[in-house]
Amino acid sequence: MLELSGGHLPDPDAAYGWYPQPPLGAGHSSVVYDPRPVAAAEARAEVRRRLEGWGLAEQSDTAELLVSELVTNSLIHAASRLRLTLSAAHGVLRCEVSEAGRRPAEVPRAGTLAGTAVGGCGMFLVDALAKRWGCHRDGPGRTLWFELGTCGSDGCGRRQP
């Protein structure tokens, strides 16, 4: 398990690069789900409950949608237990879904089968709505994550064009 330090930890696979860790003392929650169809609904409910408790209810609709996409992605591609980790600090909400999958997450190109199929749009939503997102190897699996701004100023939540 990673220790929350506020610094950057190297990924075991250099292709994934460095990823930020939230500082100690920030709002933090971690829940493990079994690979069942209700996991996405349970994760959405957890996101709403935590964000309301942290005073971040304004971000809950977007965070719920994107967490649901990452959880569903994990259920389809990894079919393993998964861990939802939420952290909020310094104007950033970070949501992570860790599972046993090894394949990096990708946004399908427009016009490809994955980009036009019924099940291929989740990462398009993550890419469009998150301030930042990524995927890194995490021991035997991977962690998909995204960040939303929480500062309330114009342009804080979404990536700028």
Side-chain angles (χ1 to χ4, degrees):
M1 182 59 128
L2 296 175
E3 187 173 328
L4 301 177
S5 65
H8 286 75
L9 297 176
D11 192 279
D13 183 339
Y16 288 93
W18 293 77
Y19 55 97
Q21 292 296 299
L24 290 171
H28 182 79
S29 171
S30 187
V31 180
V32 175
Y33 298 97
D34 288 324
R36 300 176 304 136
V38 298
E42 293 170 348
R44 285 192 304 271
E46 175 68 11
V47 167
R48 180 161 298 277
R49 187 173 66 77
R50 289 295 175 174
L51 295 187
E52 286 176 353
W54 294 341
L56 300 173
E58 290 179 13
Q59 284 75 23
S60 64
D61 288 342
T62 302
E64 281 182 73
L65 172 65
L66 300 185
V67 161
S68 184
E69 293 298 335
L70 295 188
V71 169
T72 301
N73 186 307
S74 292
L75 291 172
I76 292 169
H77 297 291
S80 68
R81 294 184 83 192
L82 59 99
R83 177 180 301 276
L84 169 65
T85 303
L86 307 171
S87 59
H90 305 295
V92 175
L93 169 66
R94 183 176 173 100
C95 303
E96 301 178 348
V97 175
S98 302
E99 34 97 325
R102 297 290 293 172
R103 192 178 79 188
E106 297 176 357
V107 177
R109 290 188 321 232
T112 64
L113 179 60
T116 57
V118 172
C121 299
M123 294 312 294
F124 277 121
L125 289 172
V126 174
D127 188 56
L129 299 175
K131 187 172 186 174
R132 293 183 339 131
W133 71 273
C135 178
H136 64 267
R137 290 198 193 277
D138 192 11
R142 69 178 181 174
T143 296
L144 293 138
W145 58 271
F146 67 86
E147 293 177 347
L148 299 173
T150 64
C151 63
S153 64
D154 289 340
C156 182
R158 292 193 181 157
R159 211 177 25 236
Q160 298 300 311

